[in-house]
Amino acid sequence: MKPAFSPWLAELSEAEVEPLVLASVLLSLVVVYLAAKIGGELCARVNLPAVLGELIGGVIVGVSALHLIVFPASGGEVQSLLMNLVGMTTGQAPGDLLRVFQGESEVISVLAELGVIVLLFEIGLESDLKELIRVGPQAAVVAVVGVVAPFAAGTAGLILIFGIDTIPAVFAGAALTATSIGITAKVLAEMQQLSSREGQIIIGAAVLDDVLGIIVLAVVASLAKTGEIEILSVAYLVAGAATFLVGSIFIGRLLSPYFVMVVNQMRTRGQVIISALIFAFVLSYIAAAIQLEAILGAFAAGLILAETSKHKEIEEQISPIADMLVPIFFIVVGARTDISVLNPLNPENRAGLVIASFLVVVAVLGKVITGLAVFGQPGINRLAIGVGMIPRGEVGLVFAGVGAASGVLTESLDAAIIVMVIFTTFLAPPLLRVVFKDDEGPVSPATPAPELKTADKAGS
């Protein structure tokens, strides 16, 4: 059923709608930044990661509480109190603001995606490619265990314990495989643990986990639609992911001297940061075009440019851009999270909460045990590696969204997945602080390269 637009709104031109969309976006950004700073500051003052405060701030201003930052749902209604405020201050009736609401939501969503792309680009710049390659085998083992263990345990438990049909159980099990690299990376950066061996293994494993998660999602989505797995599509994803990650880094390292040469020839303002963003966005586009995550391209671009003589300039100049865009991503993740599914007083939630309790246990243990799979690293903090793989964040919500849209998941199973995502997302940041609490600096110093980068940054 199509939304019932008023006759007056139907006659509005784009020129008349655009100023209202811009005004709504500006007001939304005011709410986003206030929520991010207040939440981040409160958590920082009690020695919790600021990103946890941003996520909580998003929950408060989102669909779970104040309904300020919300996104269009089916039915063509405006649910945002912020949009109602726009209607009152501009003289428009709430029913006439649907197009404005949709436009504002699309802009905020795009800004959030840009935020996580910039975040992963920044994380790539602060990582060390040589160290990542050195710990690559360990990261690969951690990633594979972190996918196989929760998937197998979750699927088998749902079938055997709860009697859930095979395809819905497989879909829910697949949701357990995801890892939110954005949340973990931000916490590690705040704690200055990115250059530790633990940090590099976590980041490497999370990147590979993201790739494996995309492949798993494609497989279970195909299974849900057709009842069979399309081998060619899976093979295409695997080949594309491997070719992109290896090829982009290899070719990028060959071309990086030319990047520096071109930048040195420029005479206009912002030549370093604009050139770096062009490079990052090109790789992000290629990744998205071959059905991977755009953030993988941004991370690869950061790794490549971290090897150039311009890396310190790029790091310094990307920081204010990250400060502006990254909080939008975390606020949006929190705002999209509906914690009403946690209410046990609602009879409709109880079945989901029982299943969710099982999924949460499997989700946590299935990632924590990945630290035990690390080999050839004496003295390493294996618990920290396992905890770093716990958060599902926006990746888990994508699995839940695809499952709900396909009609495979029952309401209770869909709610259970959402509860699992909420718990793992909010549990991981403080747990990471705990497992690293006894360390003054990086838990296990990595190779000299990251230490030199840290020293240079401190000196600058």
Side-chain angles (χ1 to χ4, degrees), residues 194-437:
L194 275 176
S195 60
S196 66
R197 282 186 296 168
E198 290 84 353
Q200 293 295 280
I201 290 174
I202 291 170
I203 294 301
V207 169
L208 294 175
D209 195 70
D210 210 4
V211 175
L212 293 174
I214 293 168
I215 295 170
V216 170
L217 179 60
V219 170
V220 296
S222 172
L223 187 64
K225 290 179 183 176
T226 64
E228 57 186 22
I229 299 173
E230 297 180 5
I231 302 298
L232 288 179
S233 298
V234 176
Y236 170 79
L237 279 174
V238 173
T243 302
F244 173 77
L245 288 174
V246 176
S248 62
I249 292 175
F250 177 75
I251 296 174
R253 294 185 76 180
L254 293 178
L255 297 178
S256 59
Y258 298 99
F259 170 86
V260 175
M261 182 182 68
V262 170
V263 169
N264 287 336
Q265 296 298 318
M266 294 182 179
R267 295 292 179 265
T268 53
R269 177 178 171 179
Q271 70 273 26
V272 174
I273 188 60
I274 295 299
S275 301
L277 287 175
I278 289 172
F279 183 65
F281 290 164
V282 166
L283 286 188
S284 298
Y285 167 76
I286 295 173
I290 60 174
Q291 300 178 31
L292 297 175
E293 290 285 347
I295 59 176
L296 296 178
F299 179 72
L303 284 177
I304 294 165
L305 295 183
E307 300 286 296
T308 69
S309 58
K310 297 291 183 182
H311 75 271
K312 285 197 293 184
E313 290 181 68
I314 300 173
E315 283 183 25
E316 292 171 358
Q317 294 180 31
I318 198 67
S319 291
I321 299 175
D323 292 341
M324 182 177 71
L325 290 175
V326 174
I328 303 175
F329 167 70
F330 290 109
I331 291 294
V332 167
V333 171
R336 290 182 184 273
T337 303
D338 185 2
I339 63 172
S340 65
V341 297
L342 299 176
N343 181 12
L345 299 179
N346 186 344
E348 296 179 357
N349 292 342
R350 291 170 189 168
L353 287 173
V354 172
I355 299 174
S357 301
F358 168 76
L359 292 182
V360 168
V361 172
V362 172
V364 173
L365 294 181
K367 293 295 185 179
V368 169
I369 64 171
T370 59
L372 301 177
V374 177
F375 60 92
Q377 297 285 343
I380 201 163
N381 190 337
R382 287 177 166 79
L383 182 59
I385 292 172
V387 170
M389 300 294 291
I390 287 176
R392 270 51 174 199
E394 77 292 346
V395 184
L397 292 176
V398 168
F399 273 83
V402 172
S406 66
V408 171
L409 302 177
T410 62
E411 289 186 5
S412 60
L413 191 54
D414 184 43
I417 294 174
I418 294 173
V419 171
M420 179 273 296
V421 171
I422 293 172
F423 267 98
T424 56
T425 299
F426 287 86
L427 183 67
L431 276 184
L432 274 172
R433 180 79 72 180
V434 170
V435 295
F436 280 120
K437 68 179 179 179

